[in-house]
Each structure stands twice: as C-alpha cells, then as structure tokens.
Amino acid sequence: MIKMKKSILLSLIALMMVSLNAATYRVTSDAPGGGDGQSWDSPMTIAEAMAAAKADEDTDDIILCKAGTYTPTATIAISTSMTVRGGLKGTDDETLAENGERSVFDTQNNTAITAIFSVTTASGLNTFEGVEVRNAYQRGFNKSGAGSLSFKNCVFDSCGSKWSSQVASDIRGLAGKFEGGKNATLTFDNCVFSRNTYESNEKAGIQVGYGLAVGFKKWKRVIIDNSLFISNGLGKACLYSTAGGNGLNNVRGAAIYASESPLTVRNTEFKANRSGISAAYGGIVYIRYPGGETTSNEPTYTAFTNCLFLANSCEHCAVDSTSKEASVLVLRSKVKDELDVVNCTFAYN
C-alpha cells in the first residue's frame, strides 16, 4: 500500500512538472515580428510561435490566436503536442471575438504550400479550437505519426479545388488527410466541412482518389459529433466538362473515406455532397475494413446516431451486377465488422 501511494504521488508530481513547463504564446495576424508572445501587447507571428513551441520539446504548449485572417507563406509544421486556440478577441486569454469569428488560415491556393498544417506528432495530443483553414492548394491538414488529434469549433472550407493531380488509389483528403496509429484517436466536435471539391476538367480517365473531403487511415477510433459536411466532393467544373467529366472514376467517399478506422458519428449532417462518375464505386461515406485488413477476433463497431443524409448524389454511377458500392453509406467489411445506424434520416439522395 505504501509503495502504491508513493507511485501515485510521483505520477502527480510529474504531471505538475509538465504543466509548469508548458508555455503560452499569443499570436496576431498583424504582429510585426520580434514579439515574445508573453502578452497581447507583444504578440508573435504564427511562425515565431511555432518555432518557440518546437524548441520546448516534451511540453504541451498553448498558442493563442487572435481572430482574423492569417496568410501563411509556408506550411505550418507541428511535431510536438500542443494546443492551438483561435477566435480570441485579443484583449485577454479567454474572451472570444464577436460574432463567432475564428482565426482563419488562408493560403489563397498558393501552389508552393501543399498543406496549411502538417502534424507529425508521434505521441500525445494536438488540439485545435476556433480555427479555420481555407483555400489550401492541396489540403488543409496533413496528419501523420501516431499521436492523437482533436478539433473543436473548426471549419475546413474550399480546400483542394485547384489541385488537379491524379492520386489514383491514394487518399485525397482535401480538407484533411489524417493518418494515425493503433492507439490514437481523432475527434471532431461542432466542425464544418464545406466546398472541399475536385474541380479539374483537364483530364479524361483520371482517378481522383478516395475521401475527397476527409480521409482517415489506421485510427483506434474516429469520433465526429455535432458537425456538418456540405457541398464536398466533385464540383460542377469537373462534372460537366467535355474533357474530364464522364471519365473520372474511383471517387470513394465524397465526404468521408475511412480505412481501418472505426467511426462513431453522432448528430451530424451530410448535405449536397457529390460522388461517383463512370464507375461502380461511389459513396458519400465509404468505410473500408474498420477492424483492419485481416479478420479480428473481436467485433469492430461503426455507428451513426441521429444523423441526416440529405440531397447527396452519386453522379453517373454505373452500378453493375458484380460491384454495388455506389450508395450514400458504404461499408466494405470483414466478418467481425458491424454497422449500427440509429435514428438517422435519408432523404432526396
């Protein structure tokens, strides 16, 4: 008993030391550079804050961002666990900006910046709150490494529409391509995924890739609560062009493609997302082997509860007799994988 109490005490001391070592940096979109970020009167640029946080390895630093529009000139690389909290008024560390304004990171389709944020943390948790990514040339987020990741009150808007490269059977992930680890979780709460679309009309027969809005791969679990997926997938320029339109194929998951990642989706809406074109593969949400490539000993559950699927479409989908995977919700499963759909509405798809 004495040894156990001593162990618990040492653990608490270790946690307190980590908390004490964590630093807070304050960031504004108009910071002139050279600030120390220790007060709102001396803010840092986002690049300076990230560099300072990276130097503080093994700590859970906090980066506070004043609401406004940021225009990064390079990918924002994150390799240590931290919290990025946006949408602040910039007068203190708690007051939010009026009208729910977020901290918007807009790269204006700059072809030199493939992803706005690149997260490669190998362990721990990275948290984003009150952040919006917009007009990323390829994708808003690129996540690798085995660390967990959490988003709250975030928006992923109009990413990837200018990126015309073929990705074949890879995950496209315009809002985000998220690869985790077998013990990592990925969560979204009150987030919006809007207008992340493939628009190119340059090539016929192109394979667009999987998961046009978001692609998940190898997570212990992905949890999505109170969120909205709207107008993601294939855009009009792609659909109705004579050059590329009807030659596109393998658009698996206009809103979500999840590979080896069981999903828990609650109180979430999927509206006006568009998949398909000239193939038997489609799906607004496409789930592939949530329990893994090989049959597991225990059942893996994927669940949709209180969700709405409204006015989604699979354009020009040619479903043949051998492959019928062009639906609103597709699960390709192993024996032990199970899907629960509870109190969900499917209308005008």
Side-chain angles (χ1 to χ4, degrees):
M1 181 66 70
I2 295 174
K3 290 183 178 180
M4 182 179 293
K5 288 182 178 179
K6 182 178 180 181
S7 176
I8 293 172
L9 179 61
L10 290 174
S11 297
L12 289 173
I13 292 172
L15 287 172
M16 291 174 64
M17 291 178 64
V18 169
S19 178
L20 290 172
N21 289 333
T24 298
Y25 302 102
R26 294 153 189 87
V27 173
T28 65
S29 60
D30 57 356
D36 60 12
Q38 298 308 295
S39 73
W40 289 105
D41 293 326
S42 183
M44 307 174 84
T45 67
I46 187 65
E48 289 172 334
M50 288 296 171
K54 185 176 181 179
D56 297 335
E57 291 188 10
D58 298 323
T59 65
D60 295 311
D61 289 344
I62 300 171
I63 297 179
L64 302 177
C65 300
K66 183 179 178 179
T69 300
Y70 297 73
T71 308
T73 57
T75 294
I76 301 170
I78 298 175
S79 58
T80 58
S81 58
M82 67 176 67
T83 295
V84 179
R85 185 173 178 227
L88 293 167
K89 189 174 182 179
T91 55
D92 57 71
D93 293 351
E94 298 295 332
T95 304
L96 297 177
E98 297 178 357
N99 302 318
E101 185 182 3
R102 295 178 177 84
S103 299
V104 180
F105 292 85
D106 186 345
T107 52
Q108 302 175 355
N109 293 302
N110 185 341
T111 58
I113 306 173
T114 55
I116 296 178
F117 286 92
S118 175
V119 181
T120 58
T121 311
S123 62
L125 171 66
N126 286 99
T127 300
F128 292 84
E129 183 176 351
V131 169
E132 178 172 343
V133 289
R134 182 188 299 168
N135 295 320
Y137 172 61
Q138 285 190 9
R139 53 180 64 102
F141 274 82
N142 194 54
K143 166 66 170 71
S144 61
S148 294
L149 190 58
S150 175
F151 295 91
K152 185 176 182 179
N153 301 327
C154 292
V155 173
F156 307 76
D157 181 67
S158 300
C159 295
S161 62
K162 305 299 182 183
W163 180 32
S164 61
S165 298
Q166 180 167 320
V167 295
S169 60
D170 193 12
I171 294 173
R172 195 168 191 91
L174 303 177
K177 179 181 179 182
F178 300 97
E179 296 190 37
K182 63 180 181 179
N183 295 315
T185 58
L186 174 61
T187 64
F188 300 89
D189 185 11
N190 194 35
C191 293
V192 176
F193 302 83
S194 57
R195 301 181 295 184
N196 303 289
T197 57
Y198 178 84
E199 292 282 357
S200 176
N201 60 1
E202 298 176 358
K203 299 177 181 179
I206 189 172
Q207 293 190 31
V208 176
Y210 306 157
L212 268 66
V214 291
F216 307 135
K217 186 174 182 180
K218 292 186 177 179
W219 292 90
K220 180 179 180 180
R221 183 156 292 275
V222 177
I223 301 171
I224 303 172
D225 284 317
N226 311 305
S227 294
L228 171 66
F229 291 79
I230 185 167
S231 298
N232 301 288
L234 299 173
K236 289 184 178 179
C238 160
L239 279 176
Y240 302 118
S241 72
T242 56
N246 295 332
L248 296 174
N249 55 49
N250 282 343
V251 185
R252 304 186 193 190
I256 295 174
Y257 175 80
S259 174
E260 301 178 67
S261 302
L263 303 177
T264 297
V265 185
R266 297 171 294 215
N267 305 309
T268 292
E269 298 182 351
F270 298 85
K271 296 180 177 179
N273 302 286
R274 185 184 287 118
S275 183
I277 294 192
S278 190
Y281 301 107
I284 303 306
V285 177
Y286 191 103
I287 306 160
R288 181 179 184 273
Y289 305 148
E293 292 283 359
T294 59
T295 304
S296 60
N297 293 323
E298 297 296 330
T300 299
Y301 294 95
T302 290
F304 291 78
T305 305
N306 299 328
C307 294
L308 172 65
F309 295 83
L310 176 67
N312 302 287
S313 63
C314 190
E315 300 287 345
H316 308 299
C317 287
V319 181
D320 60 30
S321 60
T322 59
S323 183
K324 298 180 179 180
E325 298 184 2
S327 181
V328 174
L329 179 58
V330 177
L331 171 65
R332 175 179 281 193
S333 68
K334 296 294 185 180
V335 175
K336 295 290 185 179
D337 294 325
E338 298 185 16
L339 174 64
D340 289 334
V341 179
V342 181
N343 198 33
C344 293
T345 300
F346 296 78
Y348 305 107
N349 298 293

